[in-house]
Amino acid sequence: MATYTITATPSGSNKDNDAQRDIAAVFPYDANQYRTISELARRDGIWCSCGGKYQSVTLSGYDQLINSSTGAVIKTSGTGTCKCHGTGPAAENYMTCTFSDWTQAESNAAVAAWKAGTLIIRRTVSITAYTSSGHGEPTFRDGYYDDTITITGSTAPFTDYRPQITTFKCFRSEDGVTESQLSTTVYATIKLAMNDTSGLNDSPKLVLEYSTKADFSSGVTSITMASSASLLQYYLDGYTISVRGEFSVGSNYYFRLTFTAGEEVAQVSGVSVSMSHTPIHIPQNNSGVAVGMYSNATSADRRFECNYPAYLYGGIAQIGDGNGDLLTLLGIQTGSSAAQSVANSKTATVDVVFARAYKEAPVVVANIVSESDSYYLGRCNVAIQSVSTTGFTARIANGGSAAVVFGFNWAAFGKLT
C-alpha cells in the first residue's frame, strides 16, 4: 500500500496578542493521492515578546483539527512545549505538536474536510512560566517562525470490506430442506455479501450463537461456523448447514450471527425457532404429560407441563395416592408423625424418609399437631434438620413445665427423581 508525506510552510496568522490562532488547510487535496491520514505534525516558532536580553519565557500548547463549516473538533494533538528568549529566535523557540493514533472515523472526517477546503488547524498556547528581569509580563505577538506542517498517510482508504448478512434463517428439520415441527435438529440458511472480498484474508470469522433467552443474558452457546476464506466462500454463495446441538421441541431458541472481517463487523439477531405445539402430548416413555406443547420429560426427569395459564373453575375434586397424583407431579410430598409424649424441658428426634427421592434437597416445612389441651402446648415446637434428597430429621421440643403429647405434620417441595 503506497504512502505519502507532504510538507508545507504557511504564512503567519497576523493576530496581535492572541493566544489562539488558526490557519486554513495549506495543501491542495488530490483525490487520487490523499486517502487517509496516519499522522499530522506541526512545528513552529511561538510568538512571544520578551522584554530584555535576560528574560526567558516557558510556553505549552496543543493543536486541534477543526471543520470550519460545522465547528466540530475532529482531533486534538498531544501537548508541546517551548521557550522564548530575549536574545531572539533560537532552536528552543520551536514547538512541535503531533496528531497520532488515528481512528478510521477521525481520518475519514479530516480527509472530508480537507477535500472540502474547510480543514482548520488551531493552535492554543499558554505561558506557563517566565523570568521578568524587571521587564514585566511577556505578551504574544504577530506571525510564526517557519511554521511547518507535515501530513503522512496512505493512498488507499481504510478497509471498506462492508461485511453483510443478507440471509439468516433458522428452522427445525431432519434433512435441511423440509421443515419439521417435531425435529430436535435445527438448520441455518446463511448468505453473506461483501463490498471487497479481500476482507476474507483479513482475520475473517463467522460465529453463530444461540440461547433460550431472547436477550442472550445466560446459557449462550457459541459456534464458529467459519474462520477461513475457503469456508466463508460457501456462505457468500448461500449455504444451509446443521447447527451443532440438540434443540428440545419444548423450548424456544434464539439465534445471533456475527460476520467479522478485519475490524468491520456485521451482526443479525432476533432470529428464533419456536417450541413445537400440540393439544396434548405424552412421551413414549410415559414420563410426563404436556398440554399445548411437546413434553420435555424423560425417564430421569418426570414432568407435568402446560404451555397455557391454567383455570381450574371446578377446583380439584380428588388427588390420588399413586405416582401420577397432582402433588407428586408438582414435586410435593406430605406426611405426619405419630404423637408421642415429650417430658417437660426435653426434646425428641424423629427421622422421616421420603416415599420418593428428590433430585436436590427439597424445602421442608412442619407444624405441631396435638389433641392435648395442655396449657404448655404453646411452648412446644418442631425444628427441621439435616434435610437431604431422601429425608430429614425433625427435633420436637417441649419448653413447658409438664409432659405434653404431640406430633407434627410436614410437607416437602422440590423436583422429584
Side-chain angles (χ1 to χ4, degrees), residues 188-225:
T189 298
I190 301 169
K191 187 171 184 179
L192 309 176
M194 301 185 75
N195 178 61
D196 180 357
T197 55
S198 65
L200 294 181
N201 298 307
D202 190 359
S203 303
K205 185 175 287 188
L206 183 66
V207 176
L208 185 146
E209 299 167 284
Y210 67 84
S211 172
T212 55
K213 303 288 187 181
D215 60 358
F216 291 84
S217 57
S218 63
V220 178
T221 299
S222 180
I223 304 171
T224 299
M225 309 297 284

Side-chain angles (χ1 to χ4, degrees), residues 92-116:
E92 285 185 312
N93 280 81
Y94 292 93
M95 178 186 295
T96 298
C97 294
T98 303
F99 298 85
S100 56
D101 298 323
W102 287 73
T103 66
Q104 178 175 340
E106 290 169 342
S107 175
N108 290 345
V111 169
W114 183 10
K115 181 179 180 180

Side-chain angles (χ1 to χ4, degrees), residues 172 247-253 274-276 293-296 305 307:
R172 296 181 184 274
F247 300 87
S248 168
V249 293
S251 298
N252 295 318
Y253 292 90
S274 300
M275 68 170 67
S276 301
M293 59 184 289
Y294 283 88
S295 175
N296 290 299
E305 299 168 288
N307 192 42

Side-chain angles (χ1 to χ4, degrees), residues 279-324:
I280 190 166
H281 178 232
I282 300 174
Q284 290 182 350
N285 54 19
N286 292 318
S287 56
V289 175
V291 178
M293 59 184 289
Y294 283 88
S295 175
N296 290 299
T298 65
S299 57
D301 183 13
R302 298 176 180 274
R303 300 184 180 187
F304 173 80
E305 299 168 288
C306 182
N307 192 42
Y308 310 119
Y311 295 86
L312 305 176
Y313 296 110
I316 301 176
Q318 180 178 346
I319 297 176
D321 296 326
N323 288 337

